[in-house]
Amino acid sequence: MTSDSLEIQTIVAGGDGLARRPDGPVVFVPRTAPGDRVEVELTEVHKQWARGTLLSVVEPGPQRCEPPCPHYHTCGACQLQHLSYTAQLEVKSRIIADALRRLGSVETEPPEVVPSPRQLGYRNRVTFVMRRTGDGVVAGFHALQDPGRIVDVDRCPLAEDVLNDTWEALRASWGVNADNLPPGKELRLTLRVSSGGVTGLAVEGGEDYGEPETVLEAIDGLAAMWSIGPGGTIEWYAGQAFLKERWEEQEFGVAGLSFVQVNRETALELEAYVLELCGEVAGRRVIDAYCGFGVRALKLAWAGARVVGIDSDTDAIGAAEAAAAESGAAARFRTAEVERALSHELPADLVLLNPPRRGVDRRVAQALVERPPARIVYVSCDPATLARDLKLLSSAFDVESCRGFDMFPQTAHVESVVSLARKE
């Protein structure tokens, strides 16, 4: 492949720098910053675009900084550590606005992105990859531009200290060829730490039990191990069945891969903003779709709303129902896929959407267009699927506001909250 000297103009979705060549396709180059003059090896060339590998930074742009992680130049887990934090927020604001304009036909100025109180040490859940090879064990993250290779990582600067300490202790105690862990050529190891500082380990890809009790006994603070089967189901566990998680007034149990926002402090700010957008809810009918453990639904019920929460996670709905019964909240919960249940629960005054990264099913958008509530508050972790869904809803709703929240510093991911009003 050939090399080229390029000037990086901007950062695009996914975190790559973009350079425009006057006589050829645009070039996407990871680990570059706006204003960088770089030497690039072109590794993939098409008619409209090309991809390159950074060879050297000839002249750094004003937003470039030294990444805090020693693995950053080879590890593919993060995308933006080489940018100042102010620049990261600017990049994410443009990514949201570009997606809404190009994919959603929503003309908007780049929105405010609320910064994270912590740019490092914020993650309460991290998934590592462990591979058994003929030379031993390697465990960490997929390599930059080479996902078939694993970069061995002993500590991740994005993880909370307790989680990193547990990861180091796990690596030291899993035995020769990691024989204390379930057998299997490659395992996905998800460590999570509860709000009380207790950790749990979820293992995907295992072919048998291994020696879970030995692992639990060897690591202080590791209280549970779960074996995760197809579809995210827990096949067996050792130690505790659940870790206790507290979110403001509510306490519930999390297990395996149960979803809780990875950045606690930013999540609190996002939730406060969502409730602000909901406004006065007393006496109104509210549907909280993809409600998880029902924290938001219960708050709205305590404020006087008649709430229905929908989620497919049986354990999460069980915890929500228990909390509603204990507090006497006027909230009802359903274990169901939102696309199957939503149309049966409409009409409503307010609908909250907080889908996974893939966004909402077309059936969800169709149901909302056919029986539109007065307002929708949509919480998204992917600007592209958010924009797609806003376009599906555009015949019945107008976008009133958009705000970003930096739930994932040092990466190209960003959370967005959009308020939609029914067209008159």
Side-chain angles (χ1 to χ4, degrees):
M1 287 292 181
T2 61
S3 63
D4 210 343
S5 178
L6 302 171
E7 182 173 343
I8 303 300
Q9 297 185 349
T10 189
I11 304 295
V12 298
D16 290 351
L18 179 146
R20 298 187 184 277
R21 307 166 73 207
D23 58 345
V26 296
V27 183
F28 300 102
V29 189
R31 301 299 198 264
T32 54
D36 279 355
R37 170 63 64 178
V38 294
E39 287 293 327
V40 173
E41 180 184 13
L42 299 181
T43 56
E44 187 179 352
V45 179
H46 302 269
K47 185 176 181 180
Q48 299 293 331
W49 60 275
R51 191 172 302 281
T53 297
L54 178 65
L55 297 177
S56 65
V57 178
V58 178
E59 183 178 341
Q63 297 174 323
R64 176 174 283 278
C65 69
E66 188 64 26
C69 178
H71 305 288
Y72 182 65
H73 295 295
T74 56
C75 177
C78 299
Q79 299 83 37
L80 301 180
Q81 282 193 30
H82 63 289
L83 295 181
S84 70
Y85 191 57
T86 299
Q88 291 185 34
L89 297 177
E90 293 173 356
V91 164
K92 295 182 182 190
S93 177
R94 289 199 305 274
I95 286 173
I96 295 171
D98 288 348
L100 295 190
R101 184 182 65 255
R102 289 187 303 102
L103 304 176
S105 300
V106 177
E107 293 299 329
T108 181
E109 292 295 318
E112 171 193 3
V113 176
V114 177
S116 172
R118 288 189 290 172
Q119 290 88 61
L120 298 171
Y122 64 86
R123 289 193 66 103
N124 59 50
R125 187 180 71 252
V126 175
T127 298
F128 300 92
V129 181
M130 191 213 75
R131 181 177 294 165
R132 294 179 170 103
T133 72
D135 298 323
V137 174
V138 60
F141 302 110
H142 294 287
L144 174 66
Q145 295 183 291
D146 185 8
R149 186 169 66 85
I150 304 300
V151 176
D152 200 71
V153 173
D154 52 355
R155 292 183 75 88
C156 172
L158 272 58
E160 291 186 10
D161 286 340
V162 172
L163 193 151
N164 267 322
D165 292 343
T166 303
W167 176 238
E168 286 191 324
L170 177 63
R171 290 166 60 93
S173 63
W174 61 32
V176 177
N177 206 35
D179 288 336
N180 290 332
L181 294 180
K185 182 178 180 181
E186 184 168 299
L187 306 179
R188 284 172 55 86
L189 307 175
T190 299
L191 278 171
R192 67 185 314 150
V193 56
S194 72
S195 53
V198 177
T199 55
L201 170 64
V203 182
E204 298 174 85
E207 298 169 358
D208 206 335
Y209 281 66
E211 300 292 338
E213 298 298 341
T214 301
V215 175
L216 290 171
E217 290 174 6
I219 302 174
D220 291 338
L222 182 63
M225 280 183 63
W226 306 282
S227 176
I228 309 301
T233 57
I234 297 175
E235 294 188 334
W236 58 262
Y237 72 90
Q240 298 179 13
F242 297 95
L243 301 183
K244 288 184 177 180
E245 184 70 48
R246 173 162 288 280
W247 181 270
E248 296 184 345
E249 302 92 344
Q250 187 180 346
E251 186 175 83
F252 49 88
V254 296
L257 302 178
S258 296
F259 178 77
V260 177
Q261 288 284 15
V262 301
N263 187 332
R264 302 179 199 280
E265 293 166 287
T266 302
L268 284 170
E269 296 186 63
L270 182 148
E271 289 301 321
Y273 180 64
V274 168
L275 293 177
E276 178 186 323
L277 289 176
C278 291
E280 177 57 53
V281 296
R284 295 183 177 179
R285 179 168 169 76
V286 178
I287 299 175
D288 187 1
Y290 316 94
C291 68
F293 290 92
V295 176
R296 188 182 298 141
L298 290 170
K299 282 195 170 186
L300 293 171
W302 294 333
R306 292 173 290 117
V307 183
V308 177
I310 307 170
D311 202 286
S312 59
D313 187 326
T314 303
D315 292 331
I317 290 295
E321 289 176 329
E326 183 179 348
S327 66
R332 175 169 58 87
F333 293 94
R334 291 188 58 175
T335 304
E337 294 177 338
V338 172
E339 54 266 30
R340 295 181 181 274
L342 180 61
S343 61
H344 300 288
E345 298 295 344
L346 290 168
D349 300 298
L350 169 67
V351 172
L352 304 175
L353 299 174
N354 189 10
R357 189 170 298 278
R358 64 179 178 272
V360 304
D361 188 278
R362 279 183 170 268
R363 288 170 287 177
V364 173
Q366 181 179 353
L368 291 169
V369 167
E370 291 176 352
R371 304 174 76 185
R375 181 175 300 279
I376 296 174
V377 178
Y378 189 139
V379 182
S380 167
C381 60
D382 188 325
T385 55
L386 169 65
R388 178 205 65 198
D389 295 343
L390 293 182
K391 193 164 189 177
L392 293 174
L393 294 166
S394 62
S395 63
F397 298 92
D398 290 319
V399 174
E400 283 194 327
S401 65
C402 176
R403 182 178 294 181
F405 288 82
D406 192 18
M407 197 75 71
F408 317 100
Q410 316 302 338
T411 80
H413 301 299
V414 62
E415 202 92 357
S416 309
V417 181
V418 172
S419 176
L420 301 165
R422 183 175 59 206
K423 290 178 186 268
E424 295 298 331

